[in-house]
């Protein structure tokens, strides 16, 4: 039996993915008709997809057993009314490792006050302002899913006092977990550094608004590798200007690439990283895609299915 797979995740991705995907399918013993062009949509068994991919209307894909996303975040197409097939998002160890490294790196930068030494080599021996130990620093991780939980654990392993926040209640060793609206206010009011790792949904849009930014300790730092619209940009800029927020390290934005004239680029208290916090790495992504195809063909539940009622 040959499965038909339509790779609809863009030309650049096809160039990178074709060979490793064919190799992973062969390793799994799956005979596949894999193409970036679907001759007959009705006969496609699986669609591999990414934002900016070539399909907007999934209706003709009447036999499609699943849409497999190359991205972890699915907000750009979860609300496409024609996408009724099971939708699996990308989760894999390398994606998680990349995010943990980004989060730990940027949290340590702010915790240790590295900028003062990197940018301040002016011949003055300033040895009086020392960072506290990590155990004396409170870091909040908002979103305790695949990426947030792993990041929270890594920060806890470095001895940070880690507060976590998620939609449903969680128990993670070394992390003080909270949920619900009151939980968020409680967490933010103590967060010297807050890391945002929620998905973008109707509920999480502008979750960091002016009121919540004002709850944070003065000079607090935001690290956002989640999604741009989690933060009210106007409110953040005002909070940065007033010093209420000491710095924001932002990887994701409402419009990407971030427009050249956006105030974030020139703001002295903002670090822009160009949506590079955690890349989907081809080899490990292919393993997950192929495992899901194997499961689909074996009648087993697919991994990492998106729950459309939750929106992520
Ligand atoms: P998960 O779905 O595994 O985790 C999401 C977490 O957010 C869960 O803990 C969930 O709560 C929580 N959450 C969702 N809605 C709410 C809410 N309304 N209130 C409180 N908590 C909420 O996602 P991942 O960890 O895999 O990824 C998180 C996001 O990271 C992605 O959606 C994407 O936007 C972003 N991302 C960014 C990348 C980058 O390079 N910048 C790379 C990859 C992902 P609960 O546990 O209760 O469900
Ligand atoms: C993703 C991302 O969602 O890269 O995978 O942001």
């Amino acid at each position: 039996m040959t499965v038909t797979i339509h790779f609809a995740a863009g030309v650049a991705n096809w160039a990178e993915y074709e060979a490793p995907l064919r190799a992973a399918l062969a390793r799994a013993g799956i005979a596949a008709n894999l193409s970036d062009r679907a001759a007959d949509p009705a006969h496609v068994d699986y669609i591999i997809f990414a934002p900016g991919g070539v399909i907007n209307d999934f209706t003709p894909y009447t036999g499609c057993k699943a849409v497999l996303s190359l991205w972890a975040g699915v907000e750009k197409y979860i609300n496409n009314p024609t996408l009724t097939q099971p939708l699996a998002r990308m989760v894999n160890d390398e994606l998680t490792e990349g995010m943990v490294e980004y989060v730990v790196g940027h949290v340590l930068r702010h915790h240790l006050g590295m900028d003062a030494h990197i940018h301040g080599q002016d011949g003055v021996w300033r040895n009086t302002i020392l960072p506290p130990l990590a155990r004396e620093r409170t870091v909040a991780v908002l979103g305790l899913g695949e990426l947030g939980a792993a990041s929270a654990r890594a920060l806890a392993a470095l001895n940070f006092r880690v507060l976590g926040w998620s939609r449903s209640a969680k128990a993670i060793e070394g992390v003080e977990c909270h949920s619900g609206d009151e939980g968020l206010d409680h967490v933010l009011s103590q967060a010297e550094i807050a890391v945002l790792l929620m998905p973008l949904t109707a509920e999480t849009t502008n979750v960091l608004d002016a009121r919540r930014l004002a709850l944070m300790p003065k000079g607090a730092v935001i690290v956002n590798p989640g999604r741009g619209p989690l933060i009210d940009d106007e409110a953040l800029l005002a909070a940065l200007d007033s010093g209420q927020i000491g710095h924001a390290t932002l990887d994701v934005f409402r419009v990407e690439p971030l427009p050249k004239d956006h105030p974030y680029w020139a703001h002295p208290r903002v670090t822009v990283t160009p949506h590079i916090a955690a890349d989907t790495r081809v080899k490990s992504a292919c393993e997950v895609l192929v495992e899901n195809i194997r499961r689909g063909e074996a009648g087993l539940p697919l991994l990492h299915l998106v729950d459309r009622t939750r929106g992520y």
Side-chain angles (χ1 to χ4, degrees):
M1 180 80 175
T2 301
V3 289
T4 299
I5 306 167
H6 181 191
F7 190 94
V11 178
N13 280 330
W14 176 241
E16 269 194 289
Y17 275 80
E18 183 185 358
L21 203 45
R22 288 193 194 285
L25 286 161
R27 275 197 301 280
I30 297 173
N33 169 17
L34 169 68
S35 169
D36 64 337
R37 277 154 233 265
D40 179 0
H43 288 122
V44 168
D45 295 302
Y46 299 93
I47 296 172
I48 296 175
F49 196 70
V54 290
I55 304 176
N56 289 316
D57 181 6
F58 291 82
T59 319
Y61 295 84
T62 49
C64 176
K65 297 169 197 167
V67 175
L68 309 173
S69 176
L70 294 187
W71 282 45
V74 291
E75 75 285 350
K76 285 196 164 67
Y77 38 97
I78 190 174
N79 294 321
N80 180 334
T82 69
L83 204 179
T84 53
Q85 296 86 352
L87 171 62
R89 66 191 194 92
M90 182 52 65
V91 174
N92 76 55
D93 288 351
E94 289 192 340
L95 190 67
T96 304
E97 267 176 63
M99 185 59 81
V100 167
E101 290 175 18
Y102 179 94
V103 168
V104 168
H106 286 279
V107 165
L108 282 174
R109 166 193 171 192
H110 295 298
H111 165 64
L112 294 173
M114 288 181 181
D115 290 23
H117 305 292
I118 292 169
H119 300 298
Q121 298 208 31
D122 54 5
V124 180
W125 190 259
R126 296 181 188 86
N127 66 348
T128 50
I129 304 172
L130 295 168
L133 289 171
R135 70 177 73 253
E136 295 156 342
R137 179 81 76 190
T138 301
V139 182
V141 180
L142 311 183
L144 295 172
E146 298 289 339
L147 305 177
S151 301
R153 281 195 191 94
L155 293 167
L158 288 172
N159 279 343
F160 284 104
R161 174 174 180 244
V162 184
L163 306 184
W165 182 69
S166 53
R167 201 176 58 102
S168 57
K170 295 257 176 305
I172 301 174
E173 204 184 329
V175 180
E176 191 185 308
C177 296
H178 297 266
S179 56
D181 281 357
E182 277 176 27
L184 179 56
D185 287 2
H186 175 76
V187 165
L188 286 176
S189 66
Q190 300 174 66
E192 293 166 89
I193 302 175
V195 179
L196 276 59
L197 273 170
M198 287 106 53
L200 180 61
T201 66
E203 288 74 39
T204 62
T205 302
N206 288 331
V207 69
L208 268 202
D209 58 8
R211 185 187 73 78
R212 291 202 169 112
L213 289 167
L215 290 176
M216 298 181 74
K218 192 164 174 69
V221 168
I222 310 285
V223 178
N224 183 16
R227 282 295 183 260
L230 299 176
I231 303 179
D232 176 338
D233 291 321
E234 296 298 314
L236 177 58
L237 284 164
L240 287 160
D241 288 342
S242 73
Q244 166 58 17
I245 298 299
H247 200 98
T249 293
L250 308 172
D251 186 57
V252 281
F253 304 91
R254 278 185 165 71
V255 178
E256 293 180 8
L258 185 66
K260 281 201 162 45
D261 59 352
H262 196 286
Y264 282 149
W265 280 117
H267 202 290
R269 292 189 164 140
V270 174
T271 299
V272 171
T273 60
H275 201 142
I276 44 79
D279 198 17
T280 300
R281 284 154 217 263
V282 177
K283 194 163 171 291
S284 56
C286 288
E287 300 299 333
V288 176
L289 296 168
V290 169
E291 172 59 9
N292 255 345
I293 293 168
R294 187 193 71 75
R295 284 170 165 259
E297 292 310 288
L300 297 169
L302 298 187
L303 301 172
H304 318 308
L305 281 178
V306 169
D307 178 339
R308 278 157 164 121
T309 54
R310 291 184 322 186
Y312 61 98

